[in-house]
Amino acid sequence: METSIDQETLSKIKALKKMKRNASMLLGAAVVLFIIAIYFKIPILQAFSEAAMVGGIADWFAVVALFRHPLGIPIWHTAIIPVKKNEIGENLGSFVSEEFLNREKLEIKLDEFNFATKASDWLSQKENANKIANAIALNIIPGILKTIKDEDIKRFIQVQFKEKLEAINFGDWVALALQPLQKGNVKDEFLTNILGVMSTELSNNKELIRKKVKQSTPFLSFGLADKSISEGVFNGLQEFLDEAKNPQSEIRFKIDEYIHDFLDKVKNSEEMRIKINDIILGFTGKKEVQDYINGIWDEIKLSITNDLEKGDASSIKNNIADLIQLFGNGIQEDPIMLNKINNFIKYDLLTVLLNNKKVIGDLISSTVKSWDGKEVSEKLELEIGKDLQYIRINGTLVGGLIGLVIYAFEAMYHYFLF
């Protein structure tokens, strides 16, 4: 963007210099003609060149006097723009606030313009929606990611996570989740499956049980009792599980009674619910869980950055563009919304604008006053100086023509009267 501005400024500088050169060359030509006329005694050419020089020099003075002192000499009423900068700012601010910010005029213009319809038409075009999405994806989102502090976001996530968890009664959740176990068929099937898995795992880890028993037996037994003890432990556990699988066994009745008591406490005991909540909240307070929570923002940020780097293939950018286009199409098809938007701009927004028109005028005035006079003069000359050089060119040519007219009248006067 900066390169484009620089090139545009450079183009204006070149154009201004070219027009100044053309105007000066024309004035120089008038000077040359004047010298020729004097040398060869050509009255008509002398009259033309004299008037052309006067006109060219006068208009050069007038144009230069707008922006600076001619030849650096501080002549009265020259360098008008830098000297009168503050007055120009006040007049501009007053003009905008009094003439431009006028309710009647603005309401007529707003009615003619129909902002809502034109805006919705513009937004509904895919090309325009992509332009806005690109600006958001390339500038706004990365700017936000750079501005916000990662520590603040992580702290916010942790606080929110903790507050949300503390607001949840996990006891109710556990009671609700375990409620199906109070029904006979579901409970029996669940217990049978669990006991079956335990029995299988017991068989698969028989050798491990033997090793654990050996490590626990006295050294002086010389391993003679290891096998008997390990077999006894294994067989006892296996018999217990086999008996528990039978829904009519005494062990199964005791297990059912234990489950019933536990579910009743979960459902009706406030103390049990507090214990469940404390267990879960204590788990979430562990370092591993906190590290995971902190990593959530890092993952989100990395995902957003990686997606935006895809350019036109970015899903975030394309989704934003689709939403903008959908919004534009939606407004187009909703006359009530169109009317609301136009009325909001026409009455609410316009009222705020008009109530602050003096502030706007003062802002314009103070802004112009804060500018450097020389810089303002140079910028204005760059914008309008090229066109003002035509005044010099016209002054030289028109001055010469007027000189011819005066010379003609003078010649006619001498011819008829003398």
Side-chain angles (χ1 to χ4, degrees):
M1 182 64 72
E2 292 181 358
T3 303
S4 175
I5 293 174
D6 290 341
Q7 289 176 349
E8 182 180 355
T9 303
L10 182 61
S11 176
K12 289 180 179 179
I13 292 173
K14 289 181 178 179
L16 177 59
K17 287 182 177 179
K18 181 180 178 181
M19 288 305 301
K20 282 184 175 181
R21 185 168 57 250
N22 292 341
S24 297
M25 288 173 64
L26 185 60
L27 179 59
V31 173
V32 172
L33 290 176
F34 176 73
I35 295 172
I36 293 172
I38 294 295
Y39 185 80
F40 292 101
K41 295 182 173 55
I42 307 173
I44 188 172
L45 183 59
Q46 182 178 346
F48 173 82
S49 58
E50 283 179 346
M53 286 190 299
V54 171
I57 293 172
D59 286 336
W60 166 82
F61 183 90
V63 170
V64 173
L66 285 172
F67 305 105
R68 66 187 66 85
H69 297 299
L71 301 176
I73 303 172
I75 303 172
W76 192 42
H77 281 308
T78 59
I80 295 173
I81 290 175
V83 171
K84 298 290 184 179
K85 173 178 62 72
N86 292 346
E87 289 84 344
I88 293 173
E90 291 178 358
N91 292 333
L92 181 60
S94 176
F95 170 77
V96 172
S97 62
E98 297 300 329
E99 299 298 328
F100 183 74
L101 297 178
N102 180 280
R103 177 176 289 276
E104 291 73 20
K105 294 178 181 179
L106 289 176
E107 285 183 352
I108 293 173
K109 290 297 181 183
L110 288 174
D111 288 336
E112 293 175 353
F113 186 72
N114 195 344
F115 176 83
T117 300
K118 284 185 169 56
S120 61
D121 289 342
W122 192 84
L123 291 173
S124 63
Q125 297 177 24
K126 189 171 184 61
E127 179 183 359
N128 297 328
N130 283 332
K131 288 180 181 178
I132 299 176
N134 279 330
I136 295 173
L138 295 177
N139 299 312
I140 297 178
I141 296 178
I144 293 174
L145 292 178
K146 290 179 180 179
T147 301
I148 57 179
K149 295 181 179 179
D150 293 344
E151 295 76 12
D152 294 339
I153 297 296
K154 291 177 181 179
R155 190 181 305 110
F156 174 78
I157 293 175
Q158 283 189 347
V159 170
Q160 293 298 313
F161 184 75
K162 182 180 179 181
E163 289 180 353
K164 296 300 181 185
L165 285 180
E166 290 176 347
I168 297 173
N169 191 330
F170 289 100
D172 289 341
W173 283 25
V174 173
L176 184 64
L178 297 178
Q179 191 172 3
L181 293 180
Q182 292 180 318
K183 298 178 180 179
N185 293 336
V186 176
K187 178 188 66 177
D188 290 341
E189 183 179 354
F190 176 75
L191 285 176
T192 301
N193 291 335
I194 290 293
L195 292 169
V197 171
M198 293 176 66
S199 179
T200 301
E201 289 299 315
L202 181 65
S203 298
N204 293 337
N205 291 277
K206 185 175 181 180
E207 184 63 24
L208 179 63
I209 294 173
R210 189 188 70 78
K211 290 181 179 180
K212 293 293 183 182
V213 170
K214 183 178 180 179
Q215 292 174 358
S216 303
T217 55
F219 175 72
L220 294 177
S221 67
F222 300 103
L224 297 178
D226 294 350
K227 186 175 182 181
S228 298
I229 295 174
S230 62
E231 287 292 333
V233 171
F234 176 80
N235 293 333
L237 290 173
Q238 191 67 61
E239 288 176 6
F240 176 83
L241 293 175
D242 289 340
E243 186 177 355
K245 291 179 184 178
N246 181 7
Q248 304 301 321
S249 67
E250 185 68 23
I251 295 176
R252 189 62 168 266
F253 287 143
K254 289 183 179 180
I255 294 174
D256 288 345
E257 184 178 352
Y258 174 79
I259 293 175
H260 181 271
D261 291 343
F262 175 75
L263 293 177
D264 183 67
K265 287 181 179 180
V266 170
K267 188 175 181 180
N268 300 310
S269 171
E270 184 65 25
E271 182 181 357
M272 177 61 73
R273 295 191 183 200
I274 292 174
K275 286 182 178 180
I276 292 173
N277 282 341
D278 290 343
I279 291 172
I280 295 176
L281 292 176
F283 171 76
T284 59
K286 291 183 175 295
K287 182 179 182 303
E288 293 81 0
V289 178
Q290 291 298 310
D291 290 342
Y292 173 78
I293 295 173
N294 286 334
I296 292 175
W297 169 243
D298 293 330
E299 290 295 328
I300 293 174
K301 187 176 179 180
L302 181 62
S303 298
I304 294 173
T305 302
N306 290 339
D307 182 80
L308 294 178
E309 289 177 351
K310 295 178 181 178
D312 291 337
S314 168
S315 59
I316 294 176
K317 191 216 74 167
N318 291 328
N319 286 333
I320 293 174
D322 291 340
L323 286 173
I324 292 171
Q325 195 172 7
L326 183 64
F327 177 73
N329 290 328
I331 295 178
Q332 279 183 325
E333 299 169 1
D334 190 343
I336 296 177
M337 181 59 71
L338 288 172
N339 190 51
K340 284 184 177 180
I341 293 174
N342 281 332
N343 285 338
F344 168 75
I345 294 173
K346 184 176 179 179
Y347 298 110
D348 299 336
L349 191 59
L350 186 57
T351 297
V352 174
L353 189 64
L354 293 174
N355 287 341
N356 293 277
K357 67 179 185 178
K358 186 178 185 305
V359 176
I360 296 172
D362 292 340
L363 176 63
I364 295 173
S365 176
S366 61
T367 301
V368 174
K369 289 179 180 179
S370 67
W371 292 344
D372 178 70
K374 182 180 178 182
E375 184 179 353
V376 173
S377 178
E378 291 175 350
K379 288 183 178 180
L380 284 176
E381 185 177 16
L382 200 60
E383 296 297 328
I384 63 174
K386 176 186 172 183
D387 296 323
L388 291 178
Q389 300 310 308
Y390 285 104
I391 295 177
R392 293 177 56 193
I393 294 173
N394 293 336
T396 304
L397 295 176
V398 172
L401 293 175
I402 292 175
L404 290 177
V405 172
I406 294 173
Y407 177 80
F409 273 109
E410 183 181 2
M412 290 173 62
Y413 174 78
H414 288 292
Y415 179 80
F416 289 107
L417 296 182
F418 296 98

